[in-house]
Amino acid sequence: MVDLVTMSEYNEKKETCGTICLKYLLFTFNFFFWLAGLAVMAVGIWTLIQKSDYISLLPSNTYAATAYILVIAGAIVMITGILGCCATFKERKSLLKVYFILLLCIFILEVLAGILAYIYYQQCTPFCLQLNAELKQSLKQTMTTKYKQPGEEKVTNAVDKLQQEFKCCGSNNSEDWRDSIWINSPEAEKRLVPDSCCKTVTQRCGIRDHPSNIYKTEGGCITKLETFIRAHLLIIGAVGIGIACVQLFGMIFTCCLYRSLKSEPY
């Protein structure tokens, strides 16, 4: 009789220790998961703030939508992490169910987003072709018709920043500026290209379009901007797949903890 009682107490203690270990493992996972959500949301906010100039040059809202999706996804991940911590420490099976379902949904979405982003980058699907066509169609027109025009200060700043940061000149090449409304106006003061095309920016340096003075990048700013966007797609895909793989551990820990609480009250 004493042996049975001792064995029962040992099993109960062993189960309790296992549950405690699972709780701390899941809490640790949720902490890093919450940090990952914060990082994803920060990337989205950074994109909207720091790269908002480039967004104004794009013909569609695809890039902006991606940034907003990152912000929303990051917020959902953070909320899910907090819910996971509450479910873990309160040992509520109902909360663990909700937490597991949220993890599973986020996991599926991240895997799909990662795979699609990688396919778009690797195989240049119709989206890539559409992106390239959109840029070729609109960027030159935006540069030549809106640059330095009244009420288009945002576009002007975006073009200058684009040309300086990516070391390029014009949408396809520097010759595009010959069709510019501003370049052909007296306000240009005989400039052939904007000063932001110059390798060393000084006042009226754009009056000389020699390769030693301005950027003569092959493919112009279109190629640079497209490469920038595609690189971001690759990063988004890698981050999505990476976080999804980490989530597998969270789902495993959640299932184990749920099973260890099977005989406990809600």
Side-chain angles (χ1 to χ4, degrees):
M1 185 69 175
V2 175
D3 290 341
L4 290 174
V5 172
T6 304
M7 182 66 70
S8 176
E9 290 177 350
Y10 173 77
N11 289 335
E12 184 179 350
K13 183 177 180 181
K14 183 178 180 182
E15 182 180 355
T16 303
C17 289
T19 302
I20 291 173
C21 288
L22 284 172
K23 283 173 63 177
Y24 280 101
L25 280 173
L26 195 54
F27 175 79
T28 303
F29 165 80
N30 279 305
F31 175 72
F32 286 106
F33 190 56
W34 184 86
L35 288 179
L38 180 63
V40 169
M41 188 168 66
V43 169
I45 295 173
W46 172 79
T47 300
L48 290 173
I49 295 175
Q50 295 295 325
K51 304 300 178 182
S52 60
D53 291 337
Y54 297 155
I55 292 174
S56 67
L57 296 176
L58 299 177
S60 69
N61 294 323
T62 304
Y63 190 67
T66 303
Y68 283 114
I69 288 172
L70 286 177
V71 174
I72 295 171
I76 293 173
V77 168
M78 291 176 69
I79 293 171
T80 303
I82 294 172
L83 177 63
C85 289
C86 294
T88 301
F89 277 99
K90 291 188 176 182
E91 299 184 4
R92 299 290 296 273
K93 289 169 63 179
S94 56
L95 287 178
L96 283 173
K97 283 182 181 178
V98 175
Y99 173 65
F100 180 84
I101 292 171
L102 285 174
L103 272 184
L104 183 61
C105 291
I106 296 172
F107 173 80
I108 294 172
L109 289 174
E110 284 174 343
V111 169
L112 287 175
I115 291 174
L116 288 175
Y118 180 77
I119 291 174
Y120 290 152
Y121 175 85
Q122 191 71 18
Q123 299 182 1
C124 197
T125 61
F127 173 80
C128 276
L129 297 175
Q130 180 186 0
L131 176 63
N132 187 276
E134 285 178 347
L135 286 174
K136 285 184 176 179
Q137 253 184 353
S138 68
L139 191 56
K140 180 180 178 180
Q141 183 179 4
T142 299
M143 286 182 165
T144 56
T145 61
K146 295 184 178 181
Y147 186 79
K148 292 284 188 180
Q149 298 304 299
E152 299 293 349
E153 290 79 12
K154 189 175 182 179
V155 171
T156 300
N157 293 332
V159 170
D160 286 337
K161 184 178 179 181
L162 177 69
Q163 294 189 143
Q164 275 295 294
E165 188 170 330
F166 289 152
K167 303 183 186 309
C168 57
C169 183
S171 54
N172 297 286
N173 51 60
S174 59
E175 302 296 322
D176 291 338
W177 285 109
R178 292 182 177 180
D179 301 324
S180 168
I181 295 175
W182 179 73
I183 288 294
N184 291 301
S185 69
E187 287 80 8
E189 299 179 337
K190 297 183 180 180
R191 287 179 178 87
L192 300 176
V193 294
D195 293 342
S196 57
C197 282
C198 299
K199 295 178 180 179
T200 303
V201 178
T202 57
Q203 185 66 24
R204 295 189 65 216
C205 62
I207 61 174
R208 182 169 169 265
D209 62 352
H210 192 270
S212 63
N213 184 50
I214 68 169
Y215 294 112
K216 291 279 189 178
T217 308
E218 185 177 349
C221 293
I222 284 178
T223 303
K224 296 280 189 175
L225 187 57
E226 183 187 7
T227 301
F228 169 79
I229 294 173
R230 292 181 70 221
H232 269 62
L233 282 175
L234 184 61
I235 293 171
I236 291 170
V239 170
I241 295 294
I243 295 178
C245 290
V246 173
Q247 280 182 246
L248 283 174
F249 292 100
M251 288 188 284
I252 292 171
F253 295 152
T254 303
C255 288
C256 292
L257 181 60
Y258 184 86
R259 291 185 64 182
S260 71
L261 298 175
K262 188 173 181 180
S263 59
E264 298 180 22
Y266 283 79

